[in-house]
Amino acid sequence: RVTGAVWVIRDVTQQRARQRDARHLAEVDPLTELSNRRGFEAHLQEAITRVARTGQSASLMFIDLDNFKPINDNHGHLAGDAMLWAVANVLRNGVRDSDVVARMGGDEFAVILAGCSLRRARRIASDLLQSVRTLSVPWSVDRLQVGTSIGIAAIHGGMSVDEAVAAADAQCYRAKALGRNNVQVEAPAHGGAEPLDPGDGDLDAEISEGGPG
């Protein structure tokens, strides 16, 4: 008869670290080091759940670069990559640490703004539009520049990720249709005024950005 017990102790620290690294790599765009579409969708679902739970405002911003294709066509994809990297830095530095900036693919970006009303999001978008507009990337003997078309929609509790994306994308498309290089914001639900968040106190002046790029 055999009595007693055998204990097997295995250090899983490295295994868990590798799993975290794998998840990170799967959700990060390698060029810009922003979240990729997969990471973005995970963060957006978290934002939707948070809004449903707390009732706090949140906004979604879609950003499409204007006049980016000629950079790739005339200067090559390395030049295009340099511009994407530079724009990513502008977006990353132009929002709060708590916001999520993602590259959706190609020349499309998105920003999830937690605790942020449409009014405040428009102010942030206008600042980003101006920062990208003045961005100049040296390339050979040229300097590369792009513009941005930005669409903003509110994140509501209970909506799906696809519904949130479609709402912001529709506003971005409208910005393109209205001449590019401008910000378009969806109307508040049911035509009513949207509740202000704590950061709205200094935003009494209406922001208006527009004009062809």
Side-chain angles (χ1 to χ4, degrees):
R1 183 178 179 182
V2 178
T3 60
V6 176
W7 293 85
V8 178
I9 301 175
R10 183 160 54 102
D11 186 356
V12 297
T13 303
Q14 290 185 341
Q15 179 184 352
R16 289 177 177 172
R18 286 194 296 269
Q19 290 173 342
R20 285 195 300 270
D21 290 345
R23 284 196 299 269
H24 175 78
L25 290 174
E27 296 183 355
V28 171
D29 174 59
L31 173 63
T32 62
E33 298 182 350
L34 302 175
S35 292
N36 60 17
R37 180 177 284 272
R38 178 176 175 178
F40 161 81
E41 289 179 349
H43 284 295
L44 181 54
Q45 183 59 66
E46 291 174 1
I48 292 170
T49 301
R50 189 181 305 112
V51 169
R53 186 178 68 251
T54 67
Q56 188 180 43
S57 297
S59 300
L60 177 59
M61 185 185 304
F62 256 48
I63 302 166
D64 190 84
L65 301 188
D66 302 325
N67 302 316
F68 176 75
K69 187 175 183 296
I71 293 177
N72 272 340
D73 292 345
N74 298 330
H75 301 278
H77 288 284
L78 287 179
D81 287 350
M83 176 57 74
L84 291 172
W85 186 85
V87 169
N89 277 339
V90 168
L91 300 180
R92 185 167 26 227
N93 294 326
V95 299
R96 303 163 299 177
D97 291 341
S98 58
D99 299 325
V100 177
V101 185
R103 181 187 175 203
M104 304 297 285
D107 61 348
E108 296 179 343
F109 297 84
V111 184
I112 301 170
L113 300 157
C116 185
S117 68
L118 292 176
R119 191 180 184 205
R120 190 179 186 194
R122 178 169 181 152
R123 174 64 178 270
I124 294 169
S126 297
D127 289 343
L128 292 176
L129 183 144
Q130 183 61 28
S131 295
V132 174
R133 179 187 288 166
T134 57
L135 178 65
S136 181
V137 176
W139 192 261
S140 185
V141 296
D142 297 316
R143 300 193 73 85
L144 310 179
Q145 292 183 292
V146 292
T148 53
S149 294
I150 303 178
I152 305 170
I155 297 173
H156 301 290
M159 73 190 324
S160 69
V161 166
D162 288 344
E163 288 170 339
V165 167
D169 191 43
Q171 296 304 314
C172 187
Y173 181 83
R174 192 158 74 99
K176 286 280 192 186
L178 291 174
R180 307 187 180 199
N181 210 35
N182 68 92
V183 177
Q184 294 299 319
V185 185
E186 74 171 358
H190 311 301
E194 188 198 18
L196 302 184
D197 66 42
D200 280 332
D202 60 346
L203 301 183
D204 291 331
E206 284 296 316
I207 306 299
S208 178
E209 291 285 352

